[in-house]
Amino acid sequence: SKIHAHRIIGLLECAGAPRDEAKIHWEQAGERMLEIRVNPHVREGENAGVIVILDDVTRQWEAEQDKIRFISMVAHELKSPIAAIINYINIILTGMFDDQPGKIHEMMERSKVRGEALLDLIRDLLFLNQSEAGKVEKSVERLDLKGVVQEQLEFFRAQAERTGIALALDATETEYPVKLDRKDLDRITMNLISNGIKYNREGGTLTITLRRDDGSVAVEVRDTGIGMSEEEMKGLFAEFYRIKNPHTSGIPGTGLGLATVKRMIEEYNGSITVDSRLGAGSTFTVKLPRA
């Protein structure tokens, strides 16, 4: 284009620069990024012109932009819980609540919740990093999805009871066989059940339904919680995406859980979908190949 041609002409001024000096510039051209390299051409000791090399560096540029965004998001997610924990500790150290052990216990409990959220974030980051580097060792085996879900529901029962949420399993078949790494299957089911409790309403229900379809096993996680709008669902499986509204402001989370779950499910040629209405709950449906 005329704009890029004008930019290249401007860079040609390096022809008058010292003979060993090159000019390098990155110029965006629509959705692509070009590297313009202008090298002085020396002939018989004299500056005889320039050599211009254009290179498409879009992939490198996009990777660099992703890295910058990723570091920024990680720094932001780490900053909030650490700042909250330090703030609570500083208040306790002032001694103003020395005669109110209940108040100190409350602040320590809040610090614990923040610390656990921080630990979850670090675990998710380590998992993503190991996955990208191909360092996650997997042991794929035949597993019964029904048995795994029953174990996870029992694990989360105490947490659900604190807010009066009833847990239910609807699974009429004796077995629902799948072939996955056990840690991956645990991570998938635990994340969905945990979210179904955290984003539910007090006194609500969380129902897990298992189905055996042609060639696949489906697990449906349905809650009666706060739900989501169509706009909020658009970025649901993106890394660090968290829905921010008055209903979610006090709910801890890393914004990596569903992104990690989706990545793991797709590794096994499965799929995950969500159906939700604001104020009327959400239903996550995972389909995995049947063993």
Side-chain angles (χ1 to χ4, degrees), residues 137-194:
E137 294 184 3
K138 297 181 184 292
S139 178
V140 178
E141 57 183 315
R142 189 180 190 276
L143 300 167
D144 176 24
L145 181 58
K146 182 177 181 179
V148 173
V149 170
Q150 286 174 328
E151 288 182 21
Q152 301 300 350
L153 286 176
E154 191 59 36
F155 176 81
F156 282 103
R157 192 167 301 282
Q159 179 182 336
E161 287 175 351
R162 284 199 291 268
T163 50
I165 296 171
L167 302 179
L169 174 61
D170 181 7
T172 56
E173 300 288 339
T174 304
E175 187 184 37
Y176 296 81
V178 292
K179 286 193 73 172
L180 280 85
D181 175 86
R182 177 56 194 261
K183 293 190 295 293
D184 284 352
L185 187 55
D186 280 342
R187 197 177 184 91
I188 292 167
T189 53
M190 288 180 74
N191 185 279
L192 295 176
I193 294 172
S194 176

Side-chain angles (χ1 to χ4, degrees), residues 37-64:
R37 182 185 296 267
V38 184
N39 298 291
H41 176 51
V42 179
R43 186 170 54 199
E44 296 179 356
E46 297 294 332
N47 226 345
V50 295
I51 298 173
V52 180
I53 301 173
L54 300 181
D55 190 17
D56 188 338
V57 293
T58 304
R59 286 189 177 181
Q60 297 95 307
W61 176 72
E62 288 178 343
E64 187 63 27

Side-chain angles (χ1 to χ4, degrees), residues 11 30 39 77 92 110-111 116 133 152 163 173 178 216 248:
L11 292 170
N39 298 291
E77 293 296 329
I92 292 171
R110 291 182 181 179
S111 295
E116 288 173 346
Q152 301 300 350
T163 50
E173 300 288 339
V178 292
S216 68
T248 64

Side-chain angles (χ1 to χ4, degrees), residues 123-138 184 187 239 259-261 263-264 267:
R123 284 173 178 157
D124 286 337
L125 289 172
L126 287 173
F127 178 82
L128 287 174
N129 183 59
Q130 290 170 345
S131 296
E132 291 291 343
K135 295 180 180 178
V136 177
E137 294 184 3
K138 297 181 184 292
D184 284 352
R187 197 177 184 91
E239 294 174 358
T260 305
V261 163
R263 181 176 301 190
M264 282 190 291
E267 285 180 5

